[in-house]
């Protein structure tokens, strides 16, 4: 979790007004698992099948794919954006 940057250190006040999301999921991956997820995704497999092959929860695989897409490590498109009025 990224909670700090160069200009601002956010502090979460202990008021109970915050909810941590995905706390039931494992968000750490072995490097080999990420390589497998990348390989399977780029070769046309779907999230549920990759989850079964890597023994991860489908939502964990989905979050890994989002991260891999952000880092431009996957070749197969992860999501498409609709064009507005013919513009990219």
């Amino acid at each position: 979790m990224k909670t700090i940057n160069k200009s601002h250190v956010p502090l979460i006040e202990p008021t109970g007004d915050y909810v941590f999301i995905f706390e039931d999921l494992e968000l750490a991956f072995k490097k080999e698992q990420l390589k497998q997820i990348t390989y399977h995704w780029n070769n046309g497999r779907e999230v549920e099948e990759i989850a079964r092959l890597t023994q991860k929860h489908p939502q964990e695989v989905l979050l890994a794919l989002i991260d891999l897409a952000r880092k431009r490590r996957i070749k197969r498109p992860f999501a498409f954006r609709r064009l507005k009025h013919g513009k990219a």
Side-chain angles (χ1 to χ4, degrees), residues 1 4 6-7 10 20 22 26 28 32 39 54 56 66 79 81:
M1 173 175 25
I4 189 169
K6 292 179 182 177
S7 62
F20 285 93
F22 302 122
E26 178 59 60
E32 185 59 34
Y39 173 81
T54 60
K56 296 291 273 185
I66 291 169
R81 298 187 79 174

Side-chain angles (χ1 to χ4, degrees), residues 44-62:
R45 295 189 189 253
E46 296 299 323
V47 170
E48 294 80 9
E49 187 176 6
I50 297 170
R52 182 180 55 76
L53 292 169
T54 60
Q55 298 180 348
K56 296 291 273 185
H57 191 282
Q59 291 173 345
E60 294 168 351
V61 171
L62 185 64

Side-chain angles (χ1 to χ4, degrees), residues 12-18:
I12 298 176
E13 297 179 21
T15 61
D17 292 339
Y18 294 90

Side-chain angles (χ1 to χ4, degrees), residues 8 14 16 18-21 35 45 56 66-67 72 84:
H8 179 69
Y18 294 90
V19 175
F20 285 93
I21 61 172
K35 286 180 186 178
R45 295 189 189 253
K56 296 291 273 185
I66 291 169
D67 186 64
R72 301 187 189 277
K84 291 186 179 183

Side-chain angles (χ1 to χ4, degrees), residues 28-41 50 53-56 61 64-65 68 73:
F29 290 80
K30 292 182 178 181
K31 290 179 183 181
E32 185 59 34
Q33 283 179 316
L34 287 176
K35 286 180 186 178
Q36 290 173 353
I37 290 169
T38 301
Y39 173 81
H40 291 309
W41 180 259
I50 297 170
L53 292 169
T54 60
Q55 298 180 348
K56 296 291 273 185
V61 171
L65 287 168
L68 290 164
R73 295 206 177 136

